[in-house]
Amino acid sequence: MDKNQNKKYQEIINNLENQIINLKSELANSKKNEFEFRKIVDDAGAYIIKIFKDYRIDYANKLAKTLFKPEFGDIIGKNLLQVLIGGQIEHGNGKGSQFKEIFSAPYKSSSFTSKQYTLNDEKIWILWNSNPNFDAQGNFLYYTLIGNNISNKIEKESLIRSHKKIIEEKNEELRRINKELNQSYNRQQESLEKLSQSELRFRIMGKSIPFGIFISTPTGKNKYVNLFYRKLCGINKEKALESDWLESIYPDDKESVTKRWLSALQKPEMKFNMRYRLKNKQSGKTYKVHTIIKEMRHEDKLLGYVGVIEDITKTERILDKLRNYELIIRNSTEMMSLISRDFRYLAVNDSYVKAHGLKKHEIEGRTFIELWGEELFKDKIKEKFEEAFKGKIVRYQEWFDFENLGKRFMDVIYQPVYGRKGVVDALTVNTLDITDLKEAQLNLEKAIKEAERA
């Protein structure tokens, strides 16, 4: 073999050695990058699982491993349905199903919520995103499951639904009370007119009616008080007739009541209407009352005054609670609206108004079509409304364009509101901004795909 051939062979060998060295270096860098990426994914704050179509687990990060039974040890290669501690997919109709439902052909991306149990016997709610992966020829390879803990969100939604139910019950109770009060007040008015002709009938009514009644002289001295009035003030009949009605008023309210009384006396047709406090002289309890006083005249001569006192202590407490619930809903960052059966906005909270760049009176009372157009209503909304009015909870996630917020990814829930006869009278629509969660998911999916390509 001549020197030229030896030199040529030596160059080939050197080139091969250099290529081997380069390949080793690239392999080392690839392994390093894979190790770093796997560490990032393994320590991620989301539940990440890689699964083949026969449900065998190929990878699960640290957080995802808290969902598996400890007796199986290493779960790689195990069947997902066998190693899960417990859990099922939750549907809008309240029924659950096994995870295998999402792995059936055709392979496609999907989102769903599941109720899971962890190694610490903790029940959690997870929002999953399932994404199929294919090779260059389009053959299915595996699924990537990415889940986020939404337990706090579920608890808040449950609390809001509970508060709404309480508010509806309280509203119904208030309507019933108001109706009874109106009926009782009307009965009082009718009775007072008739009792002016018969003192006996007046006294019988005064003993049984659930309102305080008093009649005073033009100077303000009582000449008649009924039993309810005496019990409310904690005084006997003699004391009630000796003193005027101002003496039973709570000390801190006496000045304002006296001022209102003197102002009412200056008007041509005297009418006193005020809420204030009474203090019971026996028990020391304080009551919130609503008093209406009118003058009694005969042939333009002032005979005195007749007054009706209603104990509104419990009603005021209910109203205070309702005001608190109203503040919670109005100041919530979640967009809320109440929709009638004819798709009309009955009420919206401040977040809803702010997002759409409108004023509340420009939304409430108008239909969905009037505000957002018939095309959007028919294409995307009508079917969901009709499902919810059948008594189903409808939930979906979608991108929306808002006047003030721009393009946002929203989680939307339609919740039926039942009337007294079990018929859905209206819908509450709750819209939660989960754009950050969606963008984080998209970024993570992009990172996983880039790592898999590497």
Side-chain angles (χ1 to χ4, degrees), residues 75-103:
I75 46 82
I76 303 303
K78 301 291 193 308
N79 189 303
L80 174 70
L81 305 181
Q82 294 177 346
V83 299
L84 279 174
I85 294 175
Q88 60 183 11
I89 301 171
E90 293 293 320
H91 296 285
N93 57 11
K95 297 180 180 179
S97 61
Q98 296 296 322
F99 268 79
K100 62 183 180 181
E101 176 182 288
I102 66 167
F103 301 131

Side-chain angles (χ1 to χ4, degrees), residues 43 70 87 106 121 123-124 150 198 213 224-225 229 251 289 299 303 321 332 352 373 382 386 388 395 410 425 448:
D43 295 334
D121 292 329
K123 182 179 77 172
I124 61 173
I150 59 170
S198 173
I213 299 175
Y224 170 80
V225 292
Y229 177 91
V289 297
E299 295 180 354
L303 302 178
K321 289 182 179 179
S332 172
Y352 192 96
K382 184 179 179 182
E386 290 175 345
R395 181 175 185 177
M410 311 300 288
D425 288 341
I448 290 174

Side-chain angles (χ1 to χ4, degrees), residues 118-133:
T118 69
L119 289 172
N120 300 324
D121 292 329
E122 179 186 8
K123 182 179 77 172
I124 61 173
W125 293 88
I126 299 178
L127 176 62
W128 294 97
N129 286 279
S130 170
N131 297 289
N133 292 266

Side-chain angles (χ1 to χ4, degrees), residues 1-19:
M1 184 179 297
D2 58 26
K3 290 182 179 181
N4 290 332
Q5 286 181 328
N6 286 335
K7 185 178 180 180
K8 186 177 293 185
Y9 289 145
Q10 188 62 43
E11 288 177 354
I12 293 172
I13 291 171
N14 290 338
N15 287 334
L16 288 174
E17 287 177 348
N18 289 333
Q19 290 179 16

